[in-house]
Amino acid sequence: MTRTAISPRLAMRIFFSTDDNVGEVTRDNHPPNEVPLDIEGWNVAHLATIDSTNDELLRRHTAGGVVNRTVLVADVQTAGRGRLDRRWEAPAGSNLLFSVMFASPINNPQRLQHAVALAVVEVVKELGVEHATLKWPNDVIVNAETDDGQRGESLKLAGMLSTMTADGSVVIGTGCNVNWAPEGACSVLGQTGREHKPTEVLERILEALDRLLGLAPESIDERYRASVDTVGRRVRVELPGGERLVGRAVQVNADGALEVIDECAVTHRFHAADVVHLRPAD
């Protein structure tokens, strides 16, 4: 028996432009602390502080001042958030907080999310984080090893939040713990003992993302499915509205959906949900 849960369309927030969203922002009314960064192929601006890089890109998009591949990176976000409206906070200048705008038309928004996640994994591995991988759908995690060499606790290193606008453009926001991590998570510094300048990590991620977006779509999909560490694990799937399901993740389908077999041997497919990796005893 198979059940399909949640349309792929619901894998992203949908943003509809209204006067309330626009506020006082115009294409020429940007924060005074904004400094352009020279990263080839991208329109990058660095902000000392902003409420949310995602929200700021959406405001600018509404005002007509954003071109494709615009990137905002901030030292501080006063209203940063992750999945399920969780707050995403970090000490000023410690971590990488950025958002990318991909302008419409876009054939497969989820593939863009996968490419960004893969780029983050590639770069943090280059920086020495050996066991970086993905927790479905797009969290970058590091697995602690148990004494017997098995996969242990998953510690979060980076997360993403995507928003689709009414015209089909997509903003992908990413927070990566470079030099600091909250309790229960991890950072590049904590894993390697080496500090890094967040904007330099951003440049490497955008270079990696350029390479990935130059690949055939099927190649990106294959790399993504091969990188999802959730497959084979016992998981708890948490859905909007409070519904929960426990089972074993068995595969990621070609469309990016996670397939889970529950404890009654019923197969479920999820395009959007929050997944918790469970220990065998949980």
Side-chain angles (χ1 to χ4, degrees):
M1 181 177 179
T2 300
R3 294 179 181 172
T4 301
I6 303 185
S7 162
R9 185 75 173 177
L10 296 182
M12 296 184 178
R13 296 171 177 267
I14 308 299
F15 176 85
F16 295 98
S17 303
T18 68
D19 291 339
D20 290 339
N21 296 120
V22 178
E24 297 298 322
V25 176
T26 71
R27 63 186 308 147
D28 299 314
N29 182 21
H30 293 174
N33 57 38
E34 181 171 329
V35 177
L37 299 181
D38 184 15
I39 300 178
E40 184 177 357
W42 302 88
N43 303 285
V44 187
H46 176 264
L47 305 171
T49 183
I50 197 70
D51 55 350
S52 159
T53 53
N54 266 29
D55 290 349
E56 178 67 5
L57 275 180
L58 291 169
R59 289 191 291 262
R60 295 185 187 191
H61 177 72
T62 300
V66 178
V67 298
N68 187 40
R69 293 162 70 97
T70 292
V71 182
L72 292 182
V73 56
D75 291 336
V76 174
Q77 290 188 116
T78 60
R81 62 186 184 276
R83 290 175 57 81
L84 304 181
D85 283 326
R86 299 188 182 104
R87 290 188 64 82
W88 188 285
E89 298 177 330
S94 62
N95 289 342
L96 177 56
L97 312 168
F98 73 100
S99 298
V100 185
M101 165 70 79
F102 294 99
S104 177
I106 296 170
N107 292 328
N108 189 323
Q110 286 189 327
R111 185 175 290 127
L112 286 177
Q113 297 178 81
H114 298 165
V116 173
L118 288 170
V120 175
V121 170
E122 178 180 324
V123 169
V124 297
K125 283 185 173 180
E126 291 172 354
L127 297 177
V129 183
E130 296 181 358
H131 302 294
T133 185
L134 293 178
K135 178 170 74 72
W136 186 91
N138 294 304
D139 280 349
V140 179
I141 61 170
V142 176
N143 289 320
E145 289 190 353
T146 62
D147 293 338
D148 58 1
Q150 300 299 309
R151 294 182 298 186
E153 183 182 9
S154 299
L155 301 176
K156 188 169 182 176
L157 181 69
M160 296 168 52
L161 179 68
S162 297
T163 304
M164 179 178 287
T165 67
D167 71 351
S169 298
V170 174
V171 173
I172 300 176
T174 303
C176 180
N177 299 329
V178 177
N179 299 309
W180 176 87
E183 184 178 355
C186 67
S187 67
V188 175
L189 172 61
Q191 292 292 307
T192 67
R194 296 189 296 274
E195 292 189 7
H196 295 275
K197 189 175 180 180
T199 52
E200 292 176 354
V201 177
L202 172 64
E203 183 170 6
R204 297 178 68 157
I205 289 173
L206 294 179
E207 290 172 351
L209 182 54
D210 253 335
R211 292 192 296 270
L212 285 162
L213 295 177
L215 299 176
E218 296 78 10
S219 180
I220 297 174
D221 296 343
E222 290 171 4
R223 291 187 182 207
Y224 171 75
R225 290 197 296 273
S227 298
V228 176
D229 184 68
T230 303
V231 174
R233 285 184 178 268
R234 189 164 177 266
V235 298
R236 182 174 69 247
V237 182
E238 300 179 350
L239 301 169
E243 182 182 356
R244 294 184 172 188
L245 178 145
V246 173
R248 184 165 299 279
V250 293
Q251 67 176 350
V252 175
N253 295 331
D255 62 355
L258 181 68
E259 194 167 294
V260 178
I261 298 179
D262 69 17
E263 295 169 322
C264 296
V266 176
T267 300
H268 305 256
R269 294 188 180 94
F270 302 96
H271 287 91
D274 204 39
V275 170
V276 178
H277 289 178
L278 298 176
R279 296 170 297 182
D282 289 340

